[in-house]
Amino acid sequence: MTEKFVAAIDQGTTSSRCIIFDQAGAIVAVDQREHRQIFPKPGWVEHDATEIWSKVQAVVAGALAKAGMRADQLSALGITNQRETTVLWDRATGKPVHNAIVWQDTRTSALCAQLGAEDGQDRFRNATGLPLASYFSGPKAAWLLDNVPGLRARAERGEIAFGTIDSWLIWNLTGATDGGVHVTDVTNASRTMLMNLETLQWDSSILAAMNVPEAILPEIRSSAEVYGTAVGQLAGVPVASALGDQQAAVFGQACYDTGTAKNTYGTGSFLLLNTGGRPVPSKSGLITTVGYKIGDQAPVYCLEGSIAITGALVQWFRDQLGLIRSSDEIETLAASVEDNGGAYIVPAFSGLFAPYWRSDARGVITGLTRYVTKAHLARAVLEATSWQTREVVDAMYQDSGVRITTLKVDGGMTVNRLLMQHQADVLGVPVIRPKVSETTCLGAAYAAGLATGVWSGLDELKAHWQRDVEWVPEMEAGPREREYENWRKAVERSLGWHEEDGA
Ligand SMILES: Nc1ncnc2c1ncn2[C@@H]1O[C@H](COP(=O)(O)OP(=O)(O)OP(=O)(O)O)[C@@H](O)[C@H]1O
Ligand SMILES: [Mg+2]
């Protein structure tokens, strides 16, 4: 039997990666490139979708070269992507009509407030699992249709295509203007606020309310099936999976059983709990989302706690404040003191997501005295990640009754041992990191391999999962709950700052 290989593209917020995996789920080669972050105004964040496509092509070529492989040695290609980021492009020329609006962008806050003016922020929650918030794609598409001159008429004539990044990549990979397929998967579609969670189809009443013409939308497909065959450098390779990055991490962490959960620490952090075959509505500020759907099998749903800023706070501490030169220096600096010196940082840079959903919140540093040093602030930066995670875990318990007994973790921040220890301490449960920490790519590769017969099923994938490090809680309950109370007081102080959107 000849060994089979699967490639995955992870098109993230800050960079694109391509990883080639072997049949044991081990990494054969990785290539990665960053793309530009465009900040036209405070609160606005854009990407150039054309640049993203060229970076993706470059990392595919890079990974193949590092592996010493040709495209025809790949059994399948999987796609995973930053979610909600919205591209509209011209079907005839293949050119984007505007920069992509990134998930962190807050320009649609006023539109969302207007949509919820009568029925409130939960107007579409029953149908979509989501509160009205600038985070999601539908309002971003509506904003573009209203603000790019002439675009709405072209969209209504069927000349314009909408896509999250998965759709944009699949369309380009499969031929673009020359027969490219225009599809999305259920996980990405579940972040548009335009898809009904039960039927897994576009919801015509929401399309009407948001004034989004159906003619622009891709076809919604499962997360693991052959959508088409690649052309160009990957000619002949089946494009066989698409999953939003957080759902891909669920899949790569082998969270296939109801009640299993993972937290991924990248730009932001996203804790997803597998709730099985039924969508569980949230009353505690989480969102309900599709976890994955393999071919014609039933969908699996998740409860999600989305935290907008965690690793990005470390980047801010490094690049905007200049208090450290590299991300890993934060651990040394934080370890030079015993505690946070009373300081707390609430990084509400794009408002607060779960469990608050407050677009009027802005970042604050509280508890400052002359005693506080940059080392205390370094601790406060790291602790902001664990406390935000604690709030989401508490909300999970309230909504689902599932008490998380261990937390599987992954993502760039999990190299930070001080942070992972603090995370275990404030949750009071063990935190476990797997050997392959690139779970996002791995999940996309797994789904593509399932769709093409590289792997037989979930049991085989589950057997690949291996523990690398485990952190066990060491903090006493008393101090833990006192500090949690301080954190919540700090959060209170971040609310109601940006008054314009708070109305
Ligand atoms: N030693 C460290 N301690 C704390 N945070 C770190 C450390 N090293 C990296 N980070 C943070 O991890 C994040 C990068 O993680 P990762 O590579 O998983 O993100 P990513 O997948 O590129 O993000 P995205 O998918 O959002 O583009 C950065 O925000 C960075 O600040
Ligand atoms: Mg990522």
Side-chain angles (χ1 to χ4, degrees), residues 282-305:
S282 174
K283 292 189 178 64
S284 311
L286 303 175
I287 63 185
T288 308
T289 200
V290 182
Y292 54 86
K293 175 172 163 36
I294 304 167
D296 52 17
Q297 295 175 28
V300 169
Y301 293 90
C302 288
L303 272 173
E304 172 177 320

Side-chain angles (χ1 to χ4, degrees), residues 12-15 17 266-267 311-312 314-315 327-328 330 411-413 415-416:
T13 309
T14 49
S15 68
R17 273 171 250 214
T267 303
V314 176
Q315 287 173 337
S327 305
D328 46 340
I330 198 160
M413 293 185 93
V415 299
N416 193 311

Side-chain angles (χ1 to χ4, degrees), residues 309 313 344-349 351-352 356 361-366 380 384 388 391 486-495:
I309 306 288
L313 183 62
Y344 292 82
I345 305 182
V346 182
F349 297 164
L352 284 172
Y356 299 100
R362 285 297 178 271
V364 293
I365 306 181
T366 62
Q388 290 187 97
E391 292 186 300
N486 290 342
W487 167 259
R488 282 187 292 217
K489 283 197 301 194
V491 169
E492 280 297 315
R493 299 206 169 27
S494 76
L495 303 176

Side-chain angles (χ1 to χ4, degrees), residues 243 247-256 292 294 443 446-447 450 458 461:
L243 291 145
Q247 285 89 340
V250 167
F251 212 71
Q253 283 271 28
C255 294
Y256 307 133
Y292 54 86
I294 304 167
Y446 278 172
L450 281 183
L458 297 182
L461 299 178

Side-chain angles (χ1 to χ4, degrees), residues 31 46 52 61 100 118 166 234 247 280 302 307 327 334 341 376 491:
D31 198 38
E46 299 180 352
I52 283 180
E118 277 175 30
D166 55 315
L234 288 173
Q247 285 89 340
V280 173
C302 288
I307 305 167
S327 305
H376 295 118
V491 169

Side-chain angles (χ1 to χ4, degrees), residues 8-19 30-37 47 51-57 59 80-83 85 102-104 165 169 245 266-267 315 412 438 440-441:
I9 294 167
D10 172 6
Q11 202 306 297
T13 309
T14 49
S15 68
S16 305
R17 273 171 250 214
C18 178
I19 304 188
V30 187
D31 198 38
Q32 180 172 6
R33 289 190 193 206
E34 295 195 358
H35 57 268
R36 272 182 311 140
Q37 304 294 318
H47 290 157
E51 180 191 6
I52 283 180
W53 170 232
S54 59
K55 295 285 157 101
V56 164
Q57 291 172 284
V59 295
T80 176
N81 55 286
Q82 54 168 322
R83 305 174 301 174
T85 297
V102 176
W103 59 275
Q104 297 158 319
I165 297 290
L169 295 182
D245 53 6
T267 303
Q315 287 173 337
E438 290 282 358
T440 305
C441 268

Side-chain angles (χ1 to χ4, degrees), residues 108-129:
T108 55
S109 298
L111 174 59
C112 289
Q114 200 184 315
L115 284 165
E118 277 175 30
D119 302 313
Q121 196 174 17
D122 286 340
R123 177 174 176 189
F124 303 125
R125 204 190 254 276
N126 269 344
T128 66

